[in-house]
Amino acid sequence: MLNLVLFGPPGAGKGTQSQKLIDKYALVHLSTGDILRAEISNGTTLGLEAKKLMDQGLLVPDEVVIGMISNKLDANKDAKGFIFDGFPRTVAQAEALDNLLESKGASISGMIALQVDNEELEKRLLLRGKDSGRPDDQNPEIIKKRVEEYNDKTAPVANYYKGQGKLTGINGIGSIEDIFGNIVTVVDAY
C-alpha cells in the first residue's frame, strides 16, 4: 500500500500535484478539511462533536481528527493507498497517524516536501487570489503570516519523517509537468 504525505507551504502546489498523484496511482485523497465537512454533514458522532467545538471557535482535537481518518481508512479497505493532505500539521499528529496506520498494518511510505522560496510563494498566492477571489490569497500581510505560521508550526513535521528516513525534498519551482516527473521518480522508488 502506498501512503504519501504531500507537504509544503501555502502556494507550493500541493493541490495541483496531489490531484495528479491521485489520478496516476489511484490513491484515495484524505483531506482532513473534506473529511471534517463530510462527517458534520452526515451527522456522525465525531462530526457532531467537531461541529460543537467549531461553533465555539475551538480547534478540533487531534483524537477526533484521527478518529475520522480511521473511519475513512476503514471505509476504503481495498484502496491502493492514500495521500494525506493538510495532515499531519504537528509532530503529535504525525505520531498519532503512525500509531493509527500501524494498528491497521500499514505505514507512511514517504513524505514529499515541495520546496518553494517565500518570494515565489507570495507571487503565486497573489495570482491565485486574483483568480479564486479568496481574501487570504489577496493580502500580502496575511500571506506572510500564513507562511510564517507554516515555518514555525508545520515545518518541524518534516524533521519527524526525516528522522525515519522518509522525507524527500522536491524543487517546487518549474513547470507543473517537470515537478510531477520528479515526484513520480521518488514515488516509483517506494
Side-chain angles (χ1 to χ4, degrees), residues 1 28 30 71-80 82:
M1 182 177 277
V28 174
L30 281 181
N71 290 347
K72 191 79 168 169
L73 294 172
D74 290 345
N76 291 280
K77 287 188 186 302
D78 296 332
K80 292 182 178 180
F82 296 88

Side-chain angles (χ1 to χ4, degrees), residues 65-136:
V65 176
I66 285 287
M68 291 178 180
I69 291 172
S70 180
N71 290 347
K72 191 79 168 169
L73 294 172
D74 290 345
N76 291 280
K77 287 188 186 302
D78 296 332
K80 292 182 178 180
F82 296 88
I83 186 161
F84 293 89
D85 176 4
F87 194 87
R89 289 182 189 261
T90 65
V91 172
Q93 289 177 351
E95 290 168 345
L97 180 59
D98 278 356
N99 291 334
L100 172 66
L101 290 171
E102 188 179 320
S103 76
K104 297 179 183 299
S107 65
I108 292 295
S109 306
M111 172 189 265
I112 297 170
L114 294 173
Q115 300 164 330
V116 181
D117 64 64
N118 291 354
E119 192 177 310
E120 177 68 15
L121 292 172
E122 185 173 334
K123 195 165 55 174
R124 287 182 185 183
L125 289 169
L126 287 170
L127 264 174
R128 186 169 83 182
K130 284 181 190 169
D131 296 339
S132 71
R134 282 178 52 174
D136 58 337

